[in-house]
């Protein structure tokens, strides 16, 4: 199975589904080629800001695919498919490699901002994932504290011994762990305490009605206060307006991310944005 990790992307079934549409199968072949030939895939980065200071505290890497025929594809068009195949691991490695290059470039401009990547439980359930990740980080003279993992699906993680072990090994090596999309079907509150989490990211569905709906405000306020009492760092996703920022600040939320501050940006735009935001 090691051949799958490097160089030879495979689209062998992981057995989660027995049929795949011809169209989807073609797309996965094209994704495999894109990963091999470095064609069309790229990362964009969205800043996370501290609500107290207004300063950037980190970045999230998000994948994009400029498909030769279909045009710009969002991750929802190909990640769920890739997750059904072994291609997922190649894709994750590609994302991590690119992110490490990004971190090295930030270091060269003397900017210290941790970057998170989105990783499926199937990735870190693999034997030796944390160890290999640490090796690659050290090879680039970076520290594990600069690379964070965003994970989904509390239930799937807690119920898999391999995924839990993988997560704990990441944590032990100093990688930051965030729980993504908290407040959706992916998160089960009774499992939260069993996972080694640093940051809880509140899903945009909890956030986007804050400015217009009283019930949403009550819910968000209670959730933030509960998570703060449990000692988590709390980040709100999908922040789109100043009223939402005001409410979140009042409720004690730590960090925010969303179009109000910045959309996910390609390399060049990110450099400009950081220069503007961090200008002395
Ligand atoms: P996510 O990790 O929860 O990422 C947040 C999504 O919300 C991103 O969509 C981002 O562009 C979008 N977003 C950010 N701020 C706002 C806002 O203010 N308003 C609205 N309406 N949307 C906002 P994107 O980039 O399409 O990614 C969708 C999902 O795909 C991600 O959700 C993540 O689960 C997955 N994904 C993205 N990149 C990767 C990757 O490299 N690997 C894996 N495994 N999954 C990825
Ligand atoms: Mg995420
Ligand atoms: Mg999210
Ligand atoms: Mg999401």
């Amino acid at each position: 199975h090691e051949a799958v990790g490097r160089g030879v992307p495979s689209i062998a079934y992981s057995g989660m589904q027995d049929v795949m549409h011809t169209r989807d199968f073609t797309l996965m072949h094209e994704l495999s080629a894109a990963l091999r030939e470095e064609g069309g895939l790229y990362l964009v980065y969205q800043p996370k800001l501290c609500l107290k200071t207004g300063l950037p505290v980190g970045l999230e890497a998000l994948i994009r695919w400029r498909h030769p025929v279909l045009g710009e594809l969002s991750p929802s068009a190909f990640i769920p498919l890739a997750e059904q195949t072994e291609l997922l691991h190649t894709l994750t490695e590609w994302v991590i490699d690119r992110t490490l290059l990004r971190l090295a470039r930030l270091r060269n401009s003397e900017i210290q901002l941790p970057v998170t990547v989105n990783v499926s439980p199937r990735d870190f359930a693999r034997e030796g994932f944390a160890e290999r990740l640490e090796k690659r980080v050290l090879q680039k003279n970076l520290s594990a504290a600069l690379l964070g993992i965003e994970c989904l699906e509390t239930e799937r993680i807690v119920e898999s011994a391999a995924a839990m072990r993988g997560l704990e090994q990441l944590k032990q090596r100093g990688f930051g762990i965030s729980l993504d999309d908290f407040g959706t079907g992916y998160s089960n509150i009774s499992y939260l305490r069993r996972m080694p989490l640093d940051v809880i990211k509140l899903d945009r569905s909890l956030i986007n009605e804050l400015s217009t709906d009283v019930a949403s405000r009550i819910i968000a306020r209670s959730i933030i206060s509960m998570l703060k009492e449990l000692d988590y760092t709390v980040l709100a996703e999908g922040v789109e307006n100043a009223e939402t920022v005001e409410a979140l600040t009042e409720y004690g939320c730590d960090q925010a991310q969303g179009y109000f501050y910045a959309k996910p940006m390609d390399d060049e735009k990110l450099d400009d944005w950081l220069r503007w935001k961090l200008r002395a």
Side-chain angles (χ1 to χ4, degrees), residues 126-154:
R126 291 178 104 199
E127 188 65 39
F129 180 84
E131 207 180 311
R132 287 194 298 273
L133 195 58
E134 183 181 47
K135 210 178 272 172
R136 280 153 80 186
V137 167
L138 296 179
Q139 267 167 8
K140 293 240 161 13
N141 288 315
L142 294 162
S143 105
L146 286 172
L147 187 66
I149 298 295
E150 297 198 6
C151 60
L152 289 167
E153 306 181 78
T154 49

Side-chain angles (χ1 to χ4, degrees), residues 124-125 156-168:
F124 54 77
R156 203 165 136 202
I157 295 167
V158 171
E159 292 190 340
S160 151
M164 279 298 271
R165 205 178 315 120
L167 207 56
E168 256 135 32

